[in-house]
Amino acid sequence: MDVKTTIRSIPGWPIEGVVFRDLTTLMQNPQAYGQSCDILYERYKDQDVGKIVGIDARGFVFGAVLAYKLGIGFVPVRKKGKLPWNTIEETYTLEYGEDTLEIHEDAVEKGEKVVIVDDLIATGGTIGATVKLVKKLGADIVECAFVVELPELKGREQIQGCNVFAITEFDGE
Ligand SMILES: O=P(O)(O)OC[C@H]1O[C@H](OP(=O)(O)OP(=O)(O)O)[C@H](O)[C@@H]1O
Ligand SMILES: Nc1ncnc2[nH]cnc12
């Protein structure tokens, strides 16, 4: 099936000018959700990945399943104030605001191979901040993986030098 057809588009949410790509409709469809997780699993199963880094909150939905399927650990990158141990943080802007992300300082090993997972890349602010955090801790980023890319917003420019993979995209539609 084409998982893209299961994503709901909502013009004008959460602010005017944004077309929100709502992946809850993909997640509640077992074929589309399962296929999305399977595509990611097939892509990384032979890459000797040590951990999956998932981004709060929708990145957890895909990242945790991928970690389970690969039989490896999952690391949450969380919005500020949620992680209980020592953290490092990065502030970033996105299509509709500003936020700060944190990671536990002992969450990944130096030189460990990680894949970063989120549901969607738009302006790239969120993944840009996450890449900075993971690099500060010294891990080796195999790829940044998304279900959806919005190429018009040029998010890849925020993570030049990193490999990027997206299952599907919305471009000028
Ligand atoms: O490329 P960007 O412009 O940074 O936008 C992409 C981010 O925006 C959404 O998260 P959001 O901050 O809305 O949080 P949520 O996952 O908690 O809903 C989405 O899940 C990505 O993490
Ligand atoms: N247009 C969009 N749809 C869904 N999530 C987003 N995060 C940032 N921009 C978004």
Side-chain angles (χ1 to χ4, degrees):
M1 77 174 308
D2 181 1
V3 298
K4 181 174 176 178
T5 61
T6 68
I7 297 168
R8 174 165 53 198
S9 294
I10 306 169
W13 198 91
I15 56 169
E16 207 176 317
V18 169
V19 181
F20 193 83
R21 308 299 178 175
D22 175 18
L23 275 80
T24 64
T25 45
L26 180 155
M27 295 169 195
Q28 71 200 32
N29 178 316
Q31 283 77 32
Y33 184 33
Q35 188 171 315
S36 301
C37 296
D38 287 346
I39 289 169
L40 297 176
Y41 170 70
E42 290 297 326
R43 190 167 176 87
Y44 302 114
K45 65 178 185 198
D46 299 319
Q47 299 243 29
D48 196 28
V49 179
K51 287 204 185 85
I52 298 300
V53 174
I55 306 179
D56 192 352
R58 290 177 257 151
F60 297 171
V61 176
F62 300 94
V65 172
L66 178 60
Y68 177 74
K69 284 177 74 83
L70 291 170
I72 62 176
F74 176 82
V75 171
V77 165
R78 296 219 62 188
K79 304 274 168 66
K80 189 174 172 63
K82 299 290 185 182
L83 289 173
W85 184 242
N86 298 337
T87 61
I88 57 170
E89 64 179 54
E90 281 288 335
T91 297
Y92 63 101
T93 54
L94 71 169
E95 243 188 316
Y96 38 79
E98 185 182 279
D99 223 324
T100 300
L101 287 174
E102 293 183 315
I103 190 170
H104 276 146
E105 63 181 16
D106 59 357
V108 294
E109 308 292 326
K110 284 198 171 43
E112 184 171 35
K113 290 172 76 174
V114 304
V115 172
I116 303 175
V117 177
D118 204 354
D119 67 323
L120 178 143
I121 177 170
T123 65
T126 307
I127 189 65
T130 303
V131 164
K132 282 185 190 156
L133 290 171
V134 171
K135 282 188 172 169
K136 269 189 199 163
L137 295 182
D140 175 11
I141 300 168
V142 172
E143 195 154 75
C144 300
F146 306 90
V147 179
V148 176
E149 179 176 11
L150 308 181
E152 284 172 310
L153 296 172
K154 302 190 188 323
R156 287 178 188 238
E157 290 180 5
Q158 303 298 323
I159 47 171
Q160 284 172 26
C162 281
N163 295 325
V164 177
F165 172 71
I167 294 173
T168 189
E169 64 177 34
F170 288 89
D171 201 10
E173 27 187 308

